[in-house]
Amino acid sequence: MMSVLKINGGKRLSGEVSVHGAKNSALPVLAATLAAGGKCEIHNCPRLSDVEAAGAILSYLGCRTGWSDGVFSVDSSDVSRCEIPDELMREMRSSIAFLGAMLTRCECVKLSMPGGCELGPRPIDLHIDALGRMGARVEERDGCIIFRRGGRLRGCRVPLSFPSVGATENIMTAASTAKGTTVITNAAREPEISDLADFLNSCGARIGGAGGSTVVIEGVERLHGCIHSVIPDRIEAATYMAAAAITGGSVLLKNVIAEHVMPVVPSFEEMGCVISFCGSDIKIEAPQRLHAVRYIRTMPYPGFPTDAQAIVMACTCRADGSSVFAETIFDSRFRHTAELARMGARIKTDGRIAVVEGVSRLCGAPVAATDLRGAAALVTAGLAAEGTTTVSQLRHLDRGYQDIETALAGLGADIKRTDG
Ligand code: UD1
């Protein structure tokens, strides 16, 4: 029996909620533990199905892994395999994150092609080009992609044509033990890039400029293990802000880095919310009825994050007025709109543009999650809908949210997980 979330909407949320470690930091950091060649302790690591999938890949490759008191340990002293089979690749879309780290340990790495996903095709050309420049020879055969290097990878200039998060991470990790210096230009500037650089530097790497557009990596002979604590999840924070906003609530978020959340703050303010910051806390107080946002365009950091698009869109469904969204990062990231429409939302999409005409009431309905952030959008809308919303296909939600129903129930939501 597949479980579902049952939400009786209309409860105003209030109280405190603590944000977990960031999924999008934990995954590349876990992959990079492979490059460390020793024992790493990852603190503040969220317990998510994607993290379990990363752990399964590390074990398959020969690492010793385990949880203890919320700390995920990886001992990568011995690596016994250099390929990731199809079943494990499919478990986690971001398994391509292992490529750079595997190349630091293996002369020949074989991955099954990551293929498409729920956000449209996910090309890896930028990863392949960059590693090619560093001296890896790439070959595609039988649905697999094989990377070979003779000797160490070579540091070089890597100009990225687009600031890809995953490519920047793979190059940084691979370049950590390359011969000579690598300079990435037009690098992604997401906070998760800086977190990975901090992790690698704690392992002995020499990376400068992470978080900016030019990242310089001076290759070292080898890395070692370390203790690292993952940064808070800015998208989970945005999700709780949306939950507070759509219910006219007042919520204090604990364990947040204000600067990382800043790209979504103007949108919540435009909706009429009052947001205040104090150390690692953010307080959000929402009006009874939200205002529309004029125009949200997803952009690489520090622009509005594509991962918050669906969640903020859910808020605008019940706002006063019309809101426009332009999705510039992914091709098909509006699949949640059809499900929101089942709840009475009025949304028109055309390619990468969505226009939301706010309605005064949403109605509870059975809806199915289509992807991770789309799932969070349905939960958000369900919190404000009249009657019962049943969200199915929770495997999408569980990839990226730890105990979301417990957190929301703690804020006063009527939400529970039951067997379908
Ligand atoms: C990461 C995040 C994801 C977020 C995204 C954008 C993780 C685990 N995932 O994904 O949640 O939505 O950043 O902020 O951190 N592209 C190419 N060629 C490539 C690589 C990417 O064309 O070789 C394109 C992609 O198709 C996409 C865009 O670049 O259109 C952004 O992708 P990228 O920044 O690489 O995102 P991910 O690292 O996959």
Side-chain angles (χ1 to χ4, degrees):
M1 188 81 82
M2 291 296 207
S3 57
V4 296
L5 279 180
K6 278 204 183 335
I7 307 166
N8 291 311
K11 306 279 184 293
R12 182 177 174 272
L13 299 195
S14 68
E16 279 183 23
V17 62
S18 193
V19 173
H20 297 96
K23 167 182 93 75
N24 286 354
S25 266
L27 297 178
V29 164
L30 288 180
T33 58
L34 200 61
K39 192 163 184 331
C40 298
E41 277 184 17
I42 310 303
H43 293 241
N44 203 34
C45 187
R47 284 203 96 136
L48 304 167
S49 63
D50 262 8
V51 166
E52 299 302 334
I57 291 176
L58 289 167
S59 310
Y60 178 85
L61 298 176
C63 302
R64 269 170 303 184
T65 66
W67 282 103
S68 154
D69 292 334
V71 176
F72 193 70
S73 303
V74 181
D75 186 343
S76 62
S77 305
D78 301 310
V79 168
S80 52
R81 289 193 177 109
C82 290
E83 96 272 10
I84 305 182
D86 198 39
E87 318 83 83
L88 291 175
M89 276 303 269
R90 272 172 205 282
E91 270 306 299
M92 188 179 63
R93 197 196 62 211
S94 39
S95 39
I96 191 70
F98 282 86
L99 176 57
M102 285 173 81
L103 267 174
T104 66
R105 301 297 297 278
C106 312
E107 299 247 327
C108 177
V109 169
K110 188 171 164 199
L111 304 175
S112 69
M113 281 297 265
C117 79
E118 64 268 15
L119 308 183
R122 287 186 81 119
I124 55 164
D125 53 315
L126 300 172
H127 304 245
I128 295 176
D129 287 356
L131 293 165
R133 280 169 175 267
M134 297 177 74
R137 276 170 296 126
V138 186
E139 188 189 332
E140 282 176 47
R141 202 195 299 151
D142 308 329
C144 284
I145 182 153
I146 301 165
F147 294 81
R148 269 180 235 279
R149 63 169 166 88
R152 281 165 76 186
L153 290 175
R154 292 186 305 270
C156 63
R157 295 194 73 85
V158 183
L160 288 175
S161 57
F162 180 86
S164 156
V165 175
T168 304
E169 291 167 345
N170 259 327
I171 300 161
M172 262 179 9
T173 305
S176 293
T177 57
K179 193 165 181 324
T181 301
T182 301
V183 180
I184 312 174
T185 49
N186 197 25
R189 293 181 287 162
E190 270 68 4
E192 294 76 20
I193 303 284
S194 309
D195 200 24
L196 176 63
D198 288 346
F199 166 78
L200 288 166
N201 284 340
S202 300
C203 293
R206 300 182 64 181
I207 303 175
S213 291
T214 304
V215 181
V216 179
I217 307 113
E218 282 176 50
V220 297
E221 285 280 339
R222 64 177 60 79
L223 303 179
H224 50 74
C226 77
I227 297 177
H228 180 77
S229 185
V230 172
I231 57 170
D233 196 315
R234 62 198 169 97
I235 306 300
E236 186 191 12
T239 307
Y240 293 133
M241 288 169 78
I246 201 168
T247 61
S250 167
V251 169
L252 184 73
L253 284 84
K254 314 278 291 179
N255 187 32
V256 188
I257 297 176
E259 190 191 339
H260 297 173
V261 180
M262 224 43 96
V264 300
V265 165
S267 304
F268 284 104
E269 287 177 338
E270 197 180 340
M271 289 191 277
C273 300
V274 176
I275 295 171
S276 42
F277 301 91
C278 180
S280 58
D281 294 351
I282 294 184
K283 176 138 203 210
I284 174 163
E285 287 165 284
Q288 276 229 319
R289 175 122 196 242
L290 296 171
H291 308 301
V293 290
R294 272 155 302 175
Y295 183 48
I296 287 182
R297 187 163 183 259
T298 63
M299 295 286 278
Y301 188 86
F304 186 94
T306 173
D307 286 350
Q309 176 256 109
I311 299 155
V312 170
M313 187 184 291
C315 292
T316 62
C317 290
R318 243 195 100 237
D320 184 13
S322 295
S323 306
V324 178
F325 291 81
E327 171 58 59
T328 76
I329 308 292
F330 289 107
D331 279 336
S332 57
R333 207 167 194 183
F334 284 143
R335 291 179 51 199
H336 50 279
T337 58
E339 298 300 307
L340 288 170
R342 288 166 173 264
M343 302 170 76
R346 289 205 195 122
I347 310 175
K348 286 206 168 66
T349 62
D350 186 356
R352 291 176 166 218
I353 303 288
V355 178
V356 182
E357 190 191 326
V359 294
S360 53
R361 44 195 292 264
L362 293 172
C363 310
V367 287
T370 52
D371 60 83
L372 166 57
R373 303 303 168 185
L378 299 178
V379 172
T380 304
L383 293 172
E386 288 172 22
T388 306
T389 297
T390 310
V391 185
S392 58
Q393 301 294 340
L394 295 180
R395 68 191 147 82
H396 293 294
L397 189 72
D398 296 338
R399 281 188 39 224
Y401 291 92
Q402 180 177 339
D403 304 327
I404 188 171
E405 64 270 25
T406 317
L408 292 171
L411 295 172
D414 182 349
I415 179 169
K416 54 174 182 294
R417 194 178 283 248
T418 60
D419 286 335

